[in-house]
Amino acid sequence: MADDDHRHPWQLRAAFAARLSDMYGREVPAYGTLVDVSREVNQDVLRARGADAERLGSIGRVTAERHGAIRVGTPEELSQVARIFGALGMRPVGFYDLREAAGSAVPVVSTAFRPVAADELARNPFRVFTSLLTPADPRFFEPGLRARLERFLAARELFPRELLVLADRAEAEDGLSGADAERFLTLAVRSFQLSAEPIDRGWYEELARVSAVAADIGGVRSTHLNHLTPRVLDIDELYRRMTARGIKMIDTVQGPPAWDGPDVLLRQTSFRALDEPRAMREADGRVVSGSLRVRFGEVEARGIALTRAGRALYDDLLDQVDARRPATPAERTAVAREVWAAHLPRTERGLAERGLGHFTYHVVDGRPRDGSAPPATLGALLDGGWVRAEPVVYEDFLPRSAAGIFQSNLREAGVRTRDDGREGVAYDSAWLSGAVGRAVLDPFGLYGAEERLSLERVGRELGLPGL
Ligand code: OOG
Ligand code: NI
């Protein structure tokens, strides 16, 4: 039966992302400014660079593109998150361990829920960086605190049963119809709204002495969106315009430096949110108005996905920059540019030839065929104009930048880590798959598969099976 009312997962995902954006705009006014400035920058870049500006995604995709960040406390809560995002066509991709990332020590491990198929990403690439608290890591939590924390977390309910039932149905039936779709979206958005419930000040502060992130996750009985990040085509220009509007940004753009070669991976910058009023319950039971600063603004520019080898080179270049001990952010940028120029190819073609970047390959339409056979190597096919290469966009995150984002968010930079030995639980990718209840996918595998499929298609179309 034809059902005009049916909304497919991608339509639910696009609606969810748009509603979350409206909600966050009401909750955090500076977010509205960020979205406005991002849109202006994107339009200016499009005007200045034309079609080239859309090489890493159509302007429609980029303008609507957001990533959110949420934090949960238990494997059970994480598996519920996976069901809600599963209904939106989003899968867990990548494992990030923020406990030991440079300069950070945040007691979480993370993954990102996102669409994985190229056509799904093109329709709406909404993704959510999702972090899970690690109470069993004795470097942060002594046994008594761990036990009380786990008891507190086990007693709360982040997602109503009705929402989870609708989510499971959406996943099983490839979407939802009419009133069910509406109800699902309403409940899902509400689950990530900042709660007005009073916070137990003593408990919150006890956790905050271990880590502000631990308090944000385990000190309250609900979860909330921590930030919602628009994508921009020129992040340096955005940084200048936000600063000109009087918004104090962190002192750097994280990730690769700006340079005159191809954009790769991910560049991000952020600003700290203002204090938000939150009701607090004192030890004597009185509820007073307090304030907390846990949310902030972030923006990002995305570049080409690197291969495993390209990523290893990137990590190595970061180490080289660190080894030169730049004293200021400006010096760091200058050093990074130099290191970059010395080691990275300056063209997309160079990235492809050295096996550092991912591309998809496409037979050029309408090329006059004079009867000559196409050459047999990819390089010659590209040179002869038989085939063109399109860069694959990096859809994931960077642990070191993520650690920087967490850090920029902590008022008391002090994180108390305990030094009493071994880990109770090995929080690794396999463990996380078990917690999520679904396989955490390997991002390199996804990019590689897309590239290989495109080469096989070119091979079929040109009669070159070995390509
Ligand atoms: C997540 C921080 C990481 C990013 O863009 O790297 C992140 C958080 O603060 O919960 O969102
Ligand atoms: Ni983020």
Side-chain angles (χ1 to χ4, degrees):
M1 191 183 75
D3 180 359
D4 294 342
D5 218 13
H6 187 83
R7 298 220 241 168
H8 292 287
W10 78 265
Q11 291 166 312
L12 294 174
R13 179 167 74 250
F16 177 72
R19 289 186 195 200
L20 215 53
S21 185
D22 289 344
M23 185 260 287
Y24 203 61
R26 282 192 301 275
E27 291 187 340
V28 180
Y31 168 76
T33 309
L34 185 63
V35 168
D36 289 345
V37 177
S38 300
R39 195 176 294 126
E40 283 165 26
V41 168
N42 289 345
Q43 277 157 7
D44 291 351
V45 172
L46 189 62
R47 243 192 313 273
R49 292 197 215 141
D52 196 40
E54 296 187 281
R55 195 152 169 71
L56 288 162
S58 72
I59 193 71
R61 170 185 157 162
V62 170
T63 305
E65 186 159 345
R66 300 281 184 278
H67 88 246
I70 59 167
R71 304 158 174 184
V72 296
T74 66
E76 164 100 49
E77 290 172 356
L78 183 64
S79 71
Q80 294 174 347
V81 166
R83 288 157 69 188
I84 296 168
F85 291 150
L88 304 174
M90 296 153 73
R91 310 271 162 262
V93 181
F95 172 76
Y96 305 87
D97 192 339
L98 281 304
R99 294 170 304 155
E100 294 174 59
S104 142
V106 179
V108 299
V109 291
S110 314
T111 187
F113 288 89
R114 66 166 177 88
V116 296
D119 56 340
E120 283 286 310
L121 285 160
R123 282 169 166 157
N124 185 291
F126 184 59
R127 47 176 96 72
V128 180
F129 192 90
T130 303
S131 299
L132 172 62
L133 191 66
T134 55
D137 187 331
R139 289 170 302 180
F140 297 95
F141 304 96
E142 46 85 13
L145 180 58
R146 171 186 173 183
R148 282 185 294 134
L149 178 55
E150 288 182 334
R151 221 166 20 246
F152 180 91
L153 293 168
R156 72 181 186 183
E157 181 190 86
L158 297 186
F159 307 105
R161 212 185 116 67
E162 185 188 1
L163 171 61
L164 297 171
V165 169
L166 283 169
D168 293 344
R169 253 191 51 213
E171 198 166 0
E173 296 171 11
D174 194 42
L176 289 171
S177 298
D180 289 336
E182 193 51 40
R183 182 77 184 143
F184 170 77
L185 289 168
T186 301
L187 291 175
V189 171
R190 193 180 292 161
S191 305
F192 297 109
Q193 213 168 331
L194 200 64
S195 164
E197 190 185 306
I199 297 167
D200 181 334
R201 190 195 293 275
W203 175 232
Y204 193 95
E205 286 178 354
E206 183 178 357
L207 289 172
R209 282 193 288 279
V210 173
S211 146
V213 174
D216 183 44
I217 299 174
V220 294
R221 298 176 45 76
S222 55
T223 186
H224 45 254
L225 193 64
N226 174 267
H227 59 270
L228 193 62
T229 299
R231 180 170 160 195
V232 72
L233 295 172
D234 183 343
I235 199 166
D236 302 295
E237 181 57 25
L238 179 121
Y239 189 100
R240 278 189 289 276
R241 291 193 195 179
M242 290 296 281
T243 305
R245 285 189 180 218
I247 293 179
K248 173 128 185 51
M249 310 294 287
I250 59 167
D251 56 14
T252 48
V253 174
Q254 295 173 329
W259 76 311
D260 57 2
D263 294 329
V264 300
L265 296 175
L266 176 65
R267 302 182 68 214
Q268 301 178 309
T269 191
S270 59
F271 56 87
R272 278 178 59 171
L274 299 176
D275 285 337
E276 293 179 293
R278 304 275 286 269
M280 296 276 176
R281 182 174 292 109
E282 304 291 357
D284 60 10
R286 263 182 324 126
V287 174
V288 300
S289 58
S291 76
L292 289 176
R293 180 178 286 201
V294 291
R295 309 204 289 179
F296 64 107
E298 183 193 44
V299 64
E300 67 191 12
R302 292 191 169 264
I304 301 172
L306 296 186
T307 60
R308 234 178 262 282
R311 175 54 186 276
L313 177 59
Y314 170 75
D315 289 337
D316 180 55
L317 297 186
L318 283 184
D319 289 344
Q320 289 189 35
V321 174
D322 286 345
R324 295 199 12 207
R325 298 182 183 282
T328 63
E331 205 178 305
R332 165 167 277 277
T333 304
V335 170
R337 282 210 179 112
E338 224 177 87
V339 169
W340 233 245
H343 294 94
L344 263 197
R346 211 172 282 270
T347 60
E348 288 185 8
R349 180 72 185 267
L351 278 179
E353 277 171 352
R354 284 179 51 193
L356 299 174
H358 282 297
F359 295 83
T360 56
Y361 297 92
H362 309 265
V363 173
V364 176
D365 290 331
R367 186 179 184 279
R369 297 277 187 272
D370 59 4
S372 62
T377 67
L378 184 57
L381 288 168
L382 289 166
D383 288 339
W386 292 81
V387 167
R388 72 188 150 77
E390 301 276 357
V392 175
V393 184
Y394 188 58
E395 305 286 355
D396 295 288
F397 294 85
L398 294 171
R400 182 154 152 166
S401 301
I405 293 298
F406 271 108
Q407 207 57 40
S408 68
N409 190 8
L410 307 179
R411 192 201 316 246
E412 301 80 13
V415 175
R416 195 187 74 196
T417 59
R418 295 153 33 83
D419 198 15
D420 66 351
R422 299 162 305 116
E423 268 198 61
V425 173
Y427 291 107
D428 55 16
S429 180
W431 181 87
L432 195 69
S433 293
V436 180
R438 339 185 151 202
V440 172
L441 305 173
D442 169 23
F444 294 109
L446 295 173
Y447 298 123
E450 198 187 334
E451 178 166 327
R452 253 190 329 279
L453 272 179
S454 79
L455 277 171
E456 281 165 21
R457 199 167 47 234
V458 167
R460 267 197 313 279
E461 288 174 23
L462 294 179
L464 296 168
L467 200 65

